[in-house]
Amino acid sequence: TFTVPTPFWRPWWFMAAAALLAALVVYLFVRLRLRSVQRLNLRLQEEVDERTASIAAGKQELERINEQLSSEIVERQRADERREEVEARFHQAYQNAPIGMGLVDKDGRIYDANPHLKRLFWPTATEADSAPLIDVLTEHDRDRFQSFLDSVAADQRDHSNMEFDCTSHDGKVRTIDFLPSPVRSKSGELRYIMLLAEDVTERRALTDKLAYQARFDELTGLFTRRAFTEYLNSLELDANRAGTPFLMFLDLDRFKFVNDTCGHAAGDQLLKKIAKVISAGVRDGDLVARLGGDEFALILGNCDEATALNRAERLRQTIQEVEFRWETEVFRIGASIGLVPLDGDTQDVSELQRLADAACYAAKEEGRNRVHLVHGVADAAYEHRGELRWVQRLTQAMENDEFELYG
């Protein structure tokens, strides 16, 4: 009998072992693949998380940028609104300004002019277009105005205002105060000059009038007390020079009687007449002033004592001979004159004037209508000044309760 041997894989245990081995291989393979897949998933998840975080960061940055841009846009809009508001206000001020305003180049050619400036020089709007501003200036001021513009264009001045005489559209010469303000580009190149033009004709006329009134008496045209004192202060009082100036104070006698009888209008006319009489007798180097009321003062140029006395006496006699008529009344007046040599012995101008006034008072005390020349410290004028000082000292002592009674 032939017996076929059993294959080695046929036993159950072998089959079980093989199946177990196959299962183990499959398990290991699947496990290995799962780990690969897990690592891949983990890497993908990390990449996804990284991309997500990057996207989130990018989104936050975009939101920040967007918010910043929105804020800048709003701020720019507000700035534009403010600029437009400022421009509108400036335009309104430019158009309605009570002074002239214009834009000119360095040669003075007009770019633009506000209505006030046009009304001043160019009655029709078309005349102002590109008109040379220098054409409206008077002939003697044109070169000075061009130098003014040149220095502003070259930035060589502090842009202070200057006055020029201009001819307005009606042909009248008016004084215009120009204040320049150059406008330049970022590179420093001149774009144009803003000119403010103010008509100061009336103001300058008033200033000149006030200056005249400060120096000259409105009624007589003589110097005022202030101008007279300034001139007296400017004199160099020197006892060693050849000639001596003399200070003369003159007070009219019986002038109050004219005022009381005929009124102040008559008194004013008499003062004007006396002022002409006094002025007619002055020489070069003399100065005549009305100090106020019926008081006049003269400074006689360098002369000796005899000449000063002679001139004072002739003036007194001339005033005495004046016949003043007012309506039906006829008046004759006199003059009490005090004369003080400006020989340098007294340098205090105020004291000199008080001494001359005291000399005038001494002339009145001596009988009026006469001349009193101060001679030394023993003179009656010095005595009168001393009496006035004692009156002042006694009055002050009474006010301050400085008297003491001794028993």
Side-chain angles (χ1 to χ4, degrees), residues 228-236 347-350 353:
F228 181 81
T229 303
E230 288 177 355
Y231 181 78
L232 191 58
N233 275 309
S234 69
L235 288 178
E236 295 181 3
Q347 297 288 336
D348 187 344
V349 170
S350 298
Q353 293 183 83

Side-chain angles (χ1 to χ4, degrees), residues 249-300:
F249 269 31
L250 184 153
D251 190 270
L252 299 181
D253 299 325
R254 297 184 298 277
F255 174 77
K256 186 175 183 301
F257 179 71
V258 177
N259 255 351
D260 294 343
T261 304
C262 300
H264 292 287
D268 288 347
Q269 291 303 313
L270 177 56
L271 289 173
K272 292 170 69 175
K273 189 169 186 176
I274 296 300
K276 291 179 180 179
V277 170
I278 297 174
S279 298
V282 301
R283 307 178 307 183
D284 290 341
D286 295 346
L287 186 75
V288 186
R290 180 189 174 207
L291 302 182
D294 60 347
E295 296 180 345
F296 296 85
L298 293 85
I299 295 178
L300 306 182

Side-chain angles (χ1 to χ4, degrees), residues 78 197 303 331 406:
R78 291 175 180 172
C303 55
F331 300 94
Y406 293 92

Side-chain angles (χ1 to χ4, degrees), residues 179-249:
L179 177 64
S181 180
V183 178
R184 303 181 183 276
S185 64
K186 291 183 178 180
S187 61
E189 183 180 359
L190 180 70
R191 299 179 62 184
Y192 54 81
I193 300 172
M194 166 73 79
L195 277 182
L196 303 184
E198 182 180 6
D199 187 350
V200 295
T201 307
E202 286 75 17
R203 187 173 69 192
R204 191 168 78 167
L206 179 60
T207 301
D208 293 344
K209 181 180 179 181
L210 292 175
Y212 179 87
Q213 290 176 345
R215 291 189 59 79
F216 297 96
D217 179 57
E218 188 174 2
L219 179 64
T220 63
L222 301 179
F223 282 103
T224 61
R225 177 187 290 273
R226 175 181 176 183
F228 181 81
T229 303
E230 288 177 355
Y231 181 78
L232 191 58
N233 275 309
S234 69
L235 288 178
E236 295 181 3
L237 306 180
D238 186 359
N240 298 320
R241 61 183 174 185
T244 301
F246 278 80
L247 174 61
M248 180 192 298
F249 269 31

Side-chain angles (χ1 to χ4, degrees), residues 143-181:
D143 291 340
R144 192 166 66 94
F145 183 74
Q146 187 59 59
S147 299
F148 171 70
L149 290 181
D150 291 342
S151 61
V152 173
D155 204 21
Q156 295 176 349
R157 59 180 299 109
D158 58 358
H159 314 317
S160 59
N161 57 312
M162 290 186 68
E163 294 182 1
F164 299 90
D165 289 334
C166 303
T167 305
S168 61
H169 68 87
D170 56 5
K172 295 180 179 179
V173 176
R174 308 194 69 81
T175 302
I176 307 299
D177 185 290
F178 287 103
L179 177 64
S181 180

Side-chain angles (χ1 to χ4, degrees), residues 2 30 45 73 77 181 233 251 284 301 316 323 329 390:
F2 180 76
V30 171
Q45 186 62 43
I73 291 173
Q77 289 174 343
S181 180
N233 275 309
D251 190 270
D284 290 341
R316 183 202 64 77
E323 187 179 82
E329 303 288 343
W390 270 109

